[in-house]
Amino acid sequence: MDNFLITKYKDVEPYVPGEQPRDRQYLKLNTNESPYPPSEAVQKAVAESASSLQLYPDPACRDLKAALAESLGLSPQNILPTNGSDEVLSLSFMAYAHDEKPAYYPDVTYGFYDVLSGLFGVKAKRFALAKDFTINIDDYCGLESGLIVIANPNAPTGIAIGVDAVERICRESPDCVVLIDEAYVEFGAESCVGLVTKYPNLIVSRTYSKSMSLAGARLGYAIANEDRIRELETLKYTLNPYSVNRTALMAGVAAVKDIGYYRNNCDTVAKTRDETAERLKTLGFTLTDSKTNFVFCRHESVPAGELSDRLRKAGILVRHFTGERTNDWLRISVGTPEDMLRLTDTLEKILNGGIE
């Protein structure tokens, strides 16, 4: 079969999403989705959107910008709604990195950063995390130009850095754009959104997928200085001015107005995460200090790949990353308290030889 793909894309390695099987019913703890449905107000907004789907969505996303700006204490000009936070990442790699302006990020982090570097021909500089998976802030200070990308909290490790560390990076690498990916920040980490009016080189990306129970809607947004938003918006309008659909826009506004429901869910997830971590420790697992909606853990006696396979046979999906530094570790999304009891009970049976 002929290959029509142009040469520069032939070696691109695509992102591999978490498994979405259809062969049976599983407890899905592998893709960091929320275990809780959207609020009733959001479900109502989604239903109401059906009567106007013959119309294009507002490309300026004005209602959503206004709602987000009010909730964050910023101007609508500081907000850019996008098709998931992955669109913020894509636009930022296009805008601020290339072969002469590297992208800097940790060697263990969200895999999409490597994918975007390959897609856009970006020279990537990966800084090694410490043995305990923590970031060395010094690595990101004093850089001359390019794009610094840090997931905070990091994925798949779950470890967060403080606002003071982000501020130091922005201050000491003023000629770099600093993109802080806050996909998981609502589960216990500190947000650096308050810095965007102080540092024109800072972009914060957020998503509705985790904390707002809207992974299926594909909705995210960038928060930044007005000039950075204008630059990203130029690229967005060049590629797809209608990238955020009408249903997602209406759901997004309703979710912001019903924020108390989602904050309560995040608190519940964080509490369940910490309780699950304690139970896993009693089973002999070692864990990172996760501030996300997942735990990152390993067991001294049973390889992570084997545990993943045996959990799958028991009807539970988790994520095993086979990289050199992560091969011993599992990333397990936090479900409901009942979900996590099922997980730990199943692991206990596996470790005691009860499930092959």
Side-chain angles (χ1 to χ4, degrees), residues 182-203:
E182 291 191 346
Y184 300 97
V185 74
E186 291 94 342
F187 298 100
E190 293 182 280
S191 174
C192 62
V193 166
L195 299 178
V196 297
T197 56
K198 183 176 181 181
Y199 293 97
N201 60 331
L202 175 62
I203 298 172

Side-chain angles (χ1 to χ4, degrees), residues 10 15 33 37 58 74 132 135 141-142 146 158 188 205 229 234 236 256 284 292 297 314 320 344 350:
K10 286 183 178 179
Y15 179 70
E33 296 149 323
D58 175 14
L74 295 170
D132 63 356
I135 289 175
C141 297
S205 68
I229 292 296
T234 296
K236 176 180 178 289
V256 172
T292 64
C297 60
H320 176 222
T344 52
I350 290 172

Side-chain angles (χ1 to χ4, degrees), residues 184-242:
Y184 300 97
V185 74
E186 291 94 342
F187 298 100
E190 293 182 280
S191 174
C192 62
V193 166
L195 299 178
V196 297
T197 56
K198 183 176 181 181
Y199 293 97
N201 60 331
L202 175 62
I203 298 172
V204 178
S205 68
R206 289 278 191 87
T207 179
Y208 276 71
S209 294
K210 320 298 181 186
S211 63
M212 306 290 264
S213 302
L214 284 173
R218 308 310 304 130
L219 184 60
Y221 54 102
I223 310 160
N225 169 278
E226 292 182 19
D227 291 335
R228 301 294 79 71
I229 292 296
R230 194 176 302 112
E231 291 163 354
L232 295 176
E233 203 161 43
T234 296
L235 291 179
K236 176 180 178 289
Y237 274 69
T238 302
L239 289 167
N240 184 3
Y242 298 114

Side-chain angles (χ1 to χ4, degrees), residues 24-337:
R24 60 179 283 194
Q25 195 72 26
Y26 290 95
L27 171 56
K28 287 183 77 277
L29 303 178
N30 64 324
T31 50
N32 298 343
E33 296 149 323
S34 173
Y36 302 107
S39 70
E40 291 184 6
V42 170
Q43 293 182 48
K44 182 180 178 182
V46 169
E48 290 175 351
S49 73
S51 64
S52 58
L53 289 181
Q54 77 276 18
L55 303 174
Y56 283 110
D58 175 14
C61 307
R62 284 166 290 191
D63 290 344
L64 183 55
K65 279 189 175 187
L68 288 168
E70 182 179 359
S71 72
L72 296 169
L74 295 170
S75 163
Q77 284 69 46
N78 295 122
I79 310 290
L80 174 64
T82 55
N83 187 286
S85 60
D86 285 341
E87 187 177 20
V88 178
L89 302 177
S90 298
L91 295 173
S92 297
F93 271 76
M94 291 176 63
Y96 305 116
H98 53 76
D99 55 349
E100 295 179 1
K101 291 195 172 199
Y104 307 94
Y105 48 85
D107 64 335
V108 178
T109 192
Y110 182 29
F112 204 48
Y113 305 158
D114 269 341
V115 171
L116 292 173
S117 291
L119 178 64
F120 296 125
V122 170
K123 180 181 179 181
K125 171 65 176 175
R126 303 168 187 85
F127 293 115
L129 296 179
K131 188 176 180 180
D132 63 356
F133 293 121
T134 55
I135 289 175
N136 181 1
I137 301 303
D138 290 343
D139 289 336
Y140 301 91
C141 297
L143 300 176
E144 293 184 359
S145 65
L147 175 68
I148 296 170
V149 188
I150 297 176
N152 189 40
N154 196 16
T157 68
I159 299 173
I161 60 174
V163 172
D164 55 342
V166 174
E167 182 164 19
R168 183 184 164 208
I169 293 169
C170 293
R171 185 177 62 248
E172 297 188 18
S173 294
D175 295 324
C176 291
V177 170
V178 180
L179 172 58
I180 303 298
D181 183 351
E182 291 191 346
Y184 300 97
V185 74
E186 291 94 342
F187 298 100
E190 293 182 280
S191 174
C192 62
V193 166
L195 299 178
V196 297
T197 56
K198 183 176 181 181
Y199 293 97
N201 60 331
L202 175 62
I203 298 172
V204 178
S205 68
R206 289 278 191 87
T207 179
Y208 276 71
S209 294
K210 320 298 181 186
S211 63
M212 306 290 264
S213 302
L214 284 173
R218 308 310 304 130
L219 184 60
Y221 54 102
I223 310 160
N225 169 278
E226 292 182 19
D227 291 335
R228 301 294 79 71
I229 292 296
R230 194 176 302 112
E231 291 163 354
L232 295 176
E233 203 161 43
T234 296
L235 291 179
K236 176 180 178 289
Y237 274 69
T238 302
L239 289 167
N240 184 3
Y242 298 114
S243 68
V244 184
N245 68 67
R246 197 173 189 88
T247 300
L249 286 173
M250 293 178 69
V253 172
V256 172
K257 293 181 178 179
D258 207 6
I259 194 65
Y261 170 82
Y262 294 101
R263 286 176 177 160
N264 182 65
N265 285 350
C266 290
D267 290 344
T268 300
V269 168
K271 182 173 183 284
T272 305
R273 175 198 67 213
D274 294 342
E275 292 171 348
T276 301
E278 291 305 312
R279 289 198 294 271
L280 288 171
K281 289 175 185 176
T282 67
L283 296 176
F285 283 87
T286 299
L287 297 94
T288 60
D289 181 21
S290 175
K291 300 298 182 185
T292 64
N293 66 340
F294 60 82
V295 296
F296 195 55
C297 60
R298 65 180 174 87
H299 199 276
E300 294 291 344
S301 303
V302 185
E306 181 181 337
L307 282 175
S308 177
D309 290 342
R310 291 167 74 177
L311 283 169
R312 194 182 198 284
K313 290 177 182 177
I316 301 174
L317 298 180
V318 298
R319 193 80 188 263
H320 176 222
F321 295 92
T322 57
E324 181 180 349
R325 300 192 63 191
T326 57
N327 194 52
D328 293 336
W329 295 77
L330 293 176
R331 191 198 70 189
I332 304 174
S333 306
V334 177
T336 65

